[in-house]
Amino acid sequence: MTATVPPAFVYLQRAETLIRELPAGTQFVNADIYARMRAAGWPDMTEPRVFGPLLQRLNRAGVIEKAGVQATTARSHGGVASVWRRTQTTEETD
């Protein structure tokens, strides 16, 4: 039985919660967050490209910072994925 895919905003809210719960200094790429969600029983997101604006918003808010890039087999990204780092936890009001 295939799980029903939730609306994108619900999926993104859960992804944001997972990112905010990461310990400061943890580095990750999008695929790491997808894997955590899959492990928790969430179905794959139908359009994963909407994940980028979430990461940019969290970056502007100081929740994460870009740590660099790494080679990947993901064709849609030309073989490069952004690596993000969870910043020090402060009083976040987002």
Side-chain angles (χ1 to χ4, degrees):
M1 181 175 178
T2 304
T4 304
V5 177
F9 76 92
V10 174
Y11 195 96
L12 292 172
Q13 286 174 337
R14 180 62 185 139
E16 180 174 349
T17 299
L18 286 173
I19 292 168
R20 288 180 178 272
E21 290 174 348
L22 292 172
T26 301
Q27 293 189 7
F28 65 93
V29 296
N30 292 4
D32 297 329
I33 301 303
Y34 293 137
R36 287 174 181 251
M37 292 188 72
R38 217 174 288 117
W42 285 72
D44 288 337
M45 189 172 198
T46 54
E47 182 51 74
R49 289 180 290 186
V50 298
F51 205 64
L54 166 68
L55 295 171
Q56 292 300 321
R57 183 172 55 77
L58 292 175
N59 184 32
R60 284 190 305 275
V63 176
I64 60 175
E65 61 188 4
K66 191 165 184 177
V69 294
Q70 74 178 29
T72 179
T73 57
R75 294 180 190 164
S76 64
H77 292 79
V80 175
S82 294
V83 179
W84 298 96
R85 180 183 306 115
R86 180 68 170 95
T87 58
Q88 282 296 110
T89 304
T90 59
E91 285 193 39
E92 296 166 3
T93 57
D94 274 333

